[in-house]
mmCIF file of all heavy atoms in Angstrom:
data_model
loop_
_atom_site.group_PDB
_atom_site.id
_atom_site.type_symbol
_atom_site.label_atom_id
_atom_site.label_comp_id
_atom_site.label_asym_id
_atom_site.label_seq_id
_atom_site.Cartn_x
_atom_site.Cartn_y
_atom_site.Cartn_z
ATOM 1 N N GLU A 5 96.087 39.803 117.055
ATOM 2 C CA GLU A 5 95.842 41.223 117.314
ATOM 3 C C GLU A 5 96.494 41.662 118.622
ATOM 4 O O GLU A 5 97.073 42.755 118.704
ATOM 5 C CB GLU A 5 94.335 41.512 117.332
ATOM 6 C CG GLU A 5 93.982 42.969 117.546
ATOM 7 C CD GLU A 5 94.537 43.910 116.491
ATOM 8 O OE1 GLU A 5 94.868 43.477 115.374
ATOM 9 O OE2 GLU A 5 94.654 45.123 116.801
ATOM 10 N N LYS A 6 96.419 40.812 119.629
ATOM 11 C CA LYS A 6 97.056 41.130 120.920
ATOM 12 C C LYS A 6 98.567 41.258 120.738
ATOM 13 O O LYS A 6 99.184 42.190 121.256
ATOM 14 C CB LYS A 6 96.727 40.033 121.937
ATOM 15 C CG LYS A 6 97.333 40.263 123.293
ATOM 16 C CD LYS A 6 96.980 39.148 124.256
ATOM 17 C CE LYS A 6 97.668 39.356 125.594
ATOM 18 N NZ LYS A 6 97.478 38.226 126.489
ATOM 19 N N ARG A 7 99.158 40.332 120.009
ATOM 20 C CA ARG A 7 100.606 40.373 119.756
ATOM 21 C C ARG A 7 100.983 41.620 118.951
ATOM 22 O O ARG A 7 102.020 42.224 119.170
ATOM 23 C CB ARG A 7 101.070 39.126 119.009
ATOM 24 C CG ARG A 7 100.835 37.829 119.734
ATOM 25 C CD ARG A 7 101.649 37.726 121.008
ATOM 26 N NE ARG A 7 101.403 36.466 121.672
ATOM 27 C CZ ARG A 7 100.867 36.345 122.876
ATOM 28 N NH1 ARG A 7 100.521 37.423 123.556
ATOM 29 N NH2 ARG A 7 100.692 35.162 123.425
ATOM 30 N N ARG A 8 100.126 41.989 117.998
ATOM 31 C CA ARG A 8 100.383 43.184 117.200
ATOM 32 C C ARG A 8 100.378 44.425 118.082
ATOM 33 O O ARG A 8 101.248 45.289 117.977
ATOM 34 C CB ARG A 8 99.334 43.321 116.090
ATOM 35 C CG ARG A 8 99.623 44.443 115.102
ATOM 36 C CD ARG A 8 98.491 44.609 114.101
ATOM 37 N NE ARG A 8 97.308 45.196 114.703
ATOM 38 C CZ ARG A 8 97.156 46.500 114.942
ATOM 39 N NH1 ARG A 8 98.098 47.354 114.632
ATOM 40 N NH2 ARG A 8 96.050 46.957 115.495
ATOM 41 N N LYS A 9 99.414 44.509 119.005
ATOM 42 C CA LYS A 9 99.339 45.657 119.908
ATOM 43 C C LYS A 9 100.547 45.696 120.841
ATOM 44 O O LYS A 9 101.100 46.771 121.112
ATOM 45 C CB LYS A 9 98.044 45.620 120.714
ATOM 46 C CG LYS A 9 96.835 45.991 119.894
ATOM 47 C CD LYS A 9 95.560 45.948 120.711
ATOM 48 C CE LYS A 9 94.350 46.302 119.849
ATOM 49 N NZ LYS A 9 93.100 46.202 120.581
ATOM 50 N N GLU A 10 100.964 44.531 121.330
ATOM 51 C CA GLU A 10 102.140 44.476 122.201
ATOM 52 C C GLU A 10 103.371 44.970 121.459
ATOM 53 O O GLU A 10 104.167 45.748 121.992
ATOM 54 C CB GLU A 10 102.365 43.044 122.705
ATOM 55 C CG GLU A 10 101.332 42.572 123.697
ATOM 56 C CD GLU A 10 101.417 41.081 123.992
ATOM 57 O OE1 GLU A 10 102.201 40.359 123.320
ATOM 58 O OE2 GLU A 10 100.694 40.617 124.893
ATOM 59 N N TRP A 11 103.519 44.522 120.206
ATOM 60 C CA TRP A 11 104.663 44.936 119.401
ATOM 61 C C TRP A 11 104.612 46.445 119.149
ATOM 62 O O TRP A 11 105.634 47.136 119.281
ATOM 63 C CB TRP A 11 104.673 44.159 118.084
ATOM 64 C CG TRP A 11 105.698 44.647 117.115
ATOM 65 C CD1 TRP A 11 107.052 44.502 117.202
ATOM 66 C CD2 TRP A 11 105.448 45.382 115.920
ATOM 67 N NE1 TRP A 11 107.655 45.099 116.124
ATOM 68 C CE2 TRP A 11 106.693 45.642 115.317
ATOM 69 C CE3 TRP A 11 104.292 45.822 115.295
ATOM 70 C CZ2 TRP A 11 106.808 46.341 114.127
ATOM 71 C CZ3 TRP A 11 104.402 46.516 114.107
ATOM 72 C CH2 TRP A 11 105.659 46.764 113.541
ATOM 73 N N LEU A 12 103.440 46.966 118.810
ATOM 74 C CA LEU A 12 103.307 48.404 118.568
ATOM 75 C C LEU A 12 103.606 49.220 119.822
ATOM 76 O O LEU A 12 104.242 50.280 119.746
ATOM 77 C CB LEU A 12 101.900 48.733 118.043
ATOM 78 C CG LEU A 12 101.608 48.337 116.605
ATOM 79 C CD1 LEU A 12 100.133 48.578 116.277
ATOM 80 C CD2 LEU A 12 102.505 49.074 115.631
ATOM 81 N N ASP A 13 103.155 48.732 120.984
ATOM 82 C CA ASP A 13 103.431 49.438 122.239
ATOM 83 C C ASP A 13 104.930 49.497 122.511
ATOM 84 O O ASP A 13 105.463 50.554 122.882
ATOM 85 C CB ASP A 13 102.716 48.761 123.410
ATOM 86 C CG ASP A 13 101.224 48.996 123.409
ATOM 87 O OD1 ASP A 13 100.754 49.890 122.675
ATOM 88 O OD2 ASP A 13 100.509 48.269 124.148
ATOM 89 N N LEU A 14 105.613 48.360 122.329
ATOM 90 C CA LEU A 14 107.060 48.342 122.551
ATOM 91 C C LEU A 14 107.778 49.235 121.542
ATOM 92 O O LEU A 14 108.724 49.949 121.906
ATOM 93 C CB LEU A 14 107.592 46.909 122.460
ATOM 94 C CG LEU A 14 107.266 46.028 123.654
ATOM 95 C CD1 LEU A 14 107.575 44.570 123.349
ATOM 96 C CD2 LEU A 14 108.029 46.497 124.886
ATOM 97 N N GLN A 15 107.311 49.215 120.312
ATOM 98 C CA GLN A 15 107.913 50.061 119.289
ATOM 99 C C GLN A 15 107.749 51.538 119.656
ATOM 100 O O GLN A 15 108.681 52.330 119.533
ATOM 101 C CB GLN A 15 107.262 49.762 117.940
ATOM 102 C CG GLN A 15 107.899 50.495 116.783
ATOM 103 C CD GLN A 15 107.203 50.168 115.479
ATOM 104 O OE1 GLN A 15 105.981 50.280 115.378
ATOM 105 N NE2 GLN A 15 107.970 49.782 114.484
ATOM 106 N N GLN A 16 106.558 51.896 120.126
ATOM 107 C CA GLN A 16 106.298 53.282 120.509
ATOM 108 C C GLN A 16 107.176 53.687 121.697
ATOM 109 O O GLN A 16 107.747 54.786 121.714
ATOM 110 C CB GLN A 16 104.826 53.450 120.860
ATOM 111 C CG GLN A 16 104.419 54.864 121.162
ATOM 112 C CD GLN A 16 102.936 54.979 121.490
ATOM 113 O OE1 GLN A 16 102.255 53.992 121.750
ATOM 114 N NE2 GLN A 16 102.442 56.191 121.482
ATOM 115 N N GLN A 17 107.307 52.815 122.682
ATOM 116 C CA GLN A 17 108.157 53.113 123.842
ATOM 117 C C GLN A 17 109.608 53.303 123.411
ATOM 118 O O GLN A 17 110.281 54.232 123.860
ATOM 119 C CB GLN A 17 108.068 51.980 124.866
ATOM 120 C CG GLN A 17 106.757 51.878 125.585
ATOM 121 C CD GLN A 17 106.696 50.656 126.489
ATOM 122 O OE1 GLN A 17 107.715 50.104 126.882
ATOM 123 N NE2 GLN A 17 105.482 50.224 126.811
ATOM 124 N N ARG A 18 110.096 52.394 122.537
ATOM 125 C CA ARG A 18 111.481 52.484 122.080
ATOM 126 C C ARG A 18 111.716 53.785 121.317
ATOM 127 O O ARG A 18 112.699 54.482 121.549
ATOM 128 C CB ARG A 18 111.834 51.288 121.190
ATOM 129 C CG ARG A 18 113.275 51.364 120.649
ATOM 130 C CD ARG A 18 113.523 50.372 119.545
ATOM 131 N NE ARG A 18 112.565 50.379 118.480
ATOM 132 C CZ ARG A 18 112.573 51.221 117.434
ATOM 133 N NH1 ARG A 18 113.487 52.167 117.358
ATOM 134 N NH2 ARG A 18 111.667 51.124 116.481
ATOM 135 N N LYS A 19 110.795 54.137 120.443
ATOM 136 C CA LYS A 19 110.957 55.366 119.661
ATOM 137 C C LYS A 19 110.939 56.596 120.552
ATOM 138 O O LYS A 19 111.714 57.539 120.339
ATOM 139 C CB LYS A 19 109.873 55.462 118.589
ATOM 140 C CG LYS A 19 110.096 54.522 117.428
ATOM 141 C CD LYS A 19 109.004 54.662 116.388
ATOM 142 C CE LYS A 19 109.234 53.742 115.202
ATOM 143 N NZ LYS A 19 108.196 53.902 114.174
ATOM 144 N N ALA A 20 110.059 56.599 121.549
ATOM 145 C CA ALA A 20 109.994 57.732 122.477
ATOM 146 C C ALA A 20 111.305 57.865 123.252
ATOM 147 O O ALA A 20 111.827 58.980 123.418
ATOM 148 C CB ALA A 20 108.824 57.562 123.437
ATOM 149 N N LEU A 21 111.838 56.740 123.698
ATOM 150 C CA LEU A 21 113.090 56.768 124.447
ATOM 151 C C LEU A 21 114.246 57.193 123.545
ATOM 152 O O LEU A 21 115.109 57.977 123.966
ATOM 153 C CB LEU A 21 113.363 55.396 125.073
ATOM 154 C CG LEU A 21 114.516 55.336 126.056
ATOM 155 C CD1 LEU A 21 114.315 56.319 127.205
ATOM 156 C CD2 LEU A 21 114.670 53.935 126.603
ATOM 157 N N GLU A 22 114.259 56.704 122.310
ATOM 158 C CA GLU A 22 115.315 57.111 121.386
ATOM 159 C C GLU A 22 115.226 58.608 121.083
ATOM 160 O O GLU A 22 116.249 59.276 120.971
ATOM 161 C CB GLU A 22 115.240 56.291 120.097
ATOM 162 C CG GLU A 22 115.742 54.876 120.282
ATOM 163 C CD GLU A 22 115.612 54.023 119.036
ATOM 164 O OE1 GLU A 22 114.989 54.471 118.039
ATOM 165 O OE2 GLU A 22 116.113 52.888 119.064
ATOM 166 N N THR A 23 114.021 59.132 120.973
ATOM 167 C CA THR A 23 113.853 60.569 120.752
ATOM 168 C C THR A 23 114.398 61.345 121.949
ATOM 169 O O THR A 23 115.092 62.360 121.784
ATOM 170 C CB THR A 23 112.365 60.905 120.522
ATOM 171 O OG1 THR A 23 111.910 60.196 119.371
ATOM 172 C CG2 THR A 23 112.150 62.391 120.331
ATOM 173 N N LEU A 24 114.091 60.861 123.141
ATOM 174 C CA LEU A 24 114.613 61.505 124.352
ATOM 175 C C LEU A 24 116.139 61.478 124.358
ATOM 176 O O LEU A 24 116.783 62.492 124.649
ATOM 177 C CB LEU A 24 114.057 60.807 125.600
ATOM 178 C CG LEU A 24 114.587 61.294 126.938
ATOM 179 C CD1 LEU A 24 114.155 62.738 127.184
ATOM 180 C CD2 LEU A 24 114.098 60.396 128.065
ATOM 181 N N LEU A 25 116.724 60.329 124.025
ATOM 182 C CA LEU A 25 118.186 60.222 123.991
ATOM 183 C C LEU A 25 118.787 61.146 122.929
ATOM 184 O O LEU A 25 119.830 61.765 123.162
ATOM 185 C CB LEU A 25 118.605 58.773 123.735
ATOM 186 C CG LEU A 25 118.428 57.816 124.905
ATOM 187 C CD1 LEU A 25 118.642 56.373 124.456
ATOM 188 C CD2 LEU A 25 119.389 58.171 126.034
ATOM 189 N N GLU A 26 118.132 61.244 121.775
ATOM 190 C CA GLU A 26 118.617 62.145 120.725
ATOM 191 C C GLU A 26 118.568 63.595 121.185
ATOM 192 O O GLU A 26 119.491 64.370 120.929
ATOM 193 C CB GLU A 26 117.793 61.967 119.451
ATOM 194 C CG GLU A 26 118.066 60.662 118.730
ATOM 195 C CD GLU A 26 117.077 60.381 117.616
ATOM 196 O OE1 GLU A 26 116.193 61.236 117.342
ATOM 197 O OE2 GLU A 26 117.164 59.294 117.021
ATOM 198 N N ARG A 27 117.496 63.953 121.876
ATOM 199 C CA ARG A 27 117.385 65.330 122.385
ATOM 200 C C ARG A 27 118.462 65.609 123.423
ATOM 201 O O ARG A 27 119.064 66.688 123.437
ATOM 202 C CB ARG A 27 116.005 65.569 122.979
ATOM 203 C CG ARG A 27 114.928 65.707 121.937
ATOM 204 C CD ARG A 27 113.582 65.948 122.562
ATOM 205 N NE ARG A 27 112.520 65.986 121.544
ATOM 206 C CZ ARG A 27 111.250 65.895 121.800
ATOM 207 N NH1 ARG A 27 110.825 65.772 123.054
ATOM 208 N NH2 ARG A 27 110.356 65.927 120.833
ATOM 209 N N LYS A 28 118.682 64.629 124.303
ATOM 210 C CA LYS A 28 119.729 64.807 125.314
ATOM 211 C C LYS A 28 121.094 64.940 124.652
ATOM 212 O O LYS A 28 121.913 65.759 125.068
ATOM 213 C CB LYS A 28 119.726 63.640 126.303
ATOM 214 C CG LYS A 28 118.561 63.655 127.287
ATOM 215 C CD LYS A 28 118.605 62.465 128.222
ATOM 216 C CE LYS A 28 119.651 62.561 129.274
ATOM 217 N NZ LYS A 28 119.443 63.495 130.352
ATOM 218 N N ALA A 29 121.353 64.132 123.622
ATOM 219 C CA ALA A 29 122.635 64.193 122.922
ATOM 220 C C ALA A 29 122.789 65.536 122.218
ATOM 221 O O ALA A 29 123.872 66.133 122.233
ATOM 222 C CB ALA A 29 122.733 63.045 121.921
ATOM 223 N N ALA A 30 121.728 66.027 121.604
ATOM 224 C CA ALA A 30 121.784 67.329 120.924
ATOM 225 C C ALA A 30 122.033 68.446 121.934
ATOM 226 O O ALA A 30 122.815 69.371 121.677
ATOM 227 C CB ALA A 30 120.491 67.575 120.154
ATOM 228 N N LYS A 31 121.363 68.349 123.071
ATOM 229 C CA LYS A 31 121.539 69.351 124.127
ATOM 230 C C LYS A 31 122.980 69.336 124.639
ATOM 231 O O LYS A 31 123.599 70.391 124.851
ATOM 232 C CB LYS A 31 120.570 69.043 125.270
ATOM 233 C CG LYS A 31 120.213 70.203 126.144
ATOM 234 C CD LYS A 31 119.213 69.752 127.190
ATOM 235 C CE LYS A 31 118.140 70.771 127.397
ATOM 236 N NZ LYS A 31 117.192 70.402 128.455
ATOM 237 N N GLU A 32 123.523 68.131 124.821
ATOM 238 C CA GLU A 32 124.900 67.999 125.296
ATOM 239 C C GLU A 32 125.879 68.525 124.246
ATOM 240 O O GLU A 32 126.855 69.204 124.586
ATOM 241 C CB GLU A 32 125.213 66.534 125.635
ATOM 242 C CG GLU A 32 126.609 66.284 126.139
ATOM 243 C CD GLU A 32 126.948 66.961 127.460
ATOM 244 O OE1 GLU A 32 126.037 67.440 128.162
ATOM 245 O OE2 GLU A 32 128.145 67.009 127.796
ATOM 246 N N ALA A 33 125.619 68.241 122.978
ATOM 247 C CA ALA A 33 126.489 68.736 121.911
ATOM 248 C C ALA A 33 126.462 70.264 121.869
ATOM 249 O O ALA A 33 127.506 70.908 121.688
ATOM 250 C CB ALA A 33 126.051 68.154 120.567
ATOM 251 N N LEU A 34 125.279 70.841 122.051
ATOM 252 C CA LEU A 34 125.164 72.300 122.079
ATOM 253 C C LEU A 34 125.922 72.873 123.278
ATOM 254 O O LEU A 34 126.630 73.872 123.143
ATOM 255 C CB LEU A 34 123.686 72.708 122.126
ATOM 256 C CG LEU A 34 123.394 74.198 122.106
ATOM 257 C CD1 LEU A 34 123.917 74.835 120.821
ATOM 258 C CD2 LEU A 34 121.905 74.442 122.256
ATOM 259 N N ARG A 35 125.800 72.227 124.428
ATOM 260 C CA ARG A 35 126.508 72.680 125.626
ATOM 261 C C ARG A 35 128.018 72.631 125.408
ATOM 262 O O ARG A 35 128.745 73.580 125.737
ATOM 263 C CB ARG A 35 126.121 71.821 126.834
ATOM 264 C CG ARG A 35 126.714 72.323 128.164
ATOM 265 C CD ARG A 35 126.506 71.337 129.290
ATOM 266 N NE ARG A 35 127.256 70.106 129.138
ATOM 267 C CZ ARG A 35 128.564 69.969 129.389
ATOM 268 N NH1 ARG A 35 129.277 71.004 129.785
ATOM 269 N NH2 ARG A 35 129.156 68.804 129.230
#
């Protein structure tokens, strides 16, 4: 269970960062 939570936390962090990068890329493309 601890390993599952660690994996989920890392997955959530990665997805949040990828979303941020996608938003930045979209903003740059619009600019």
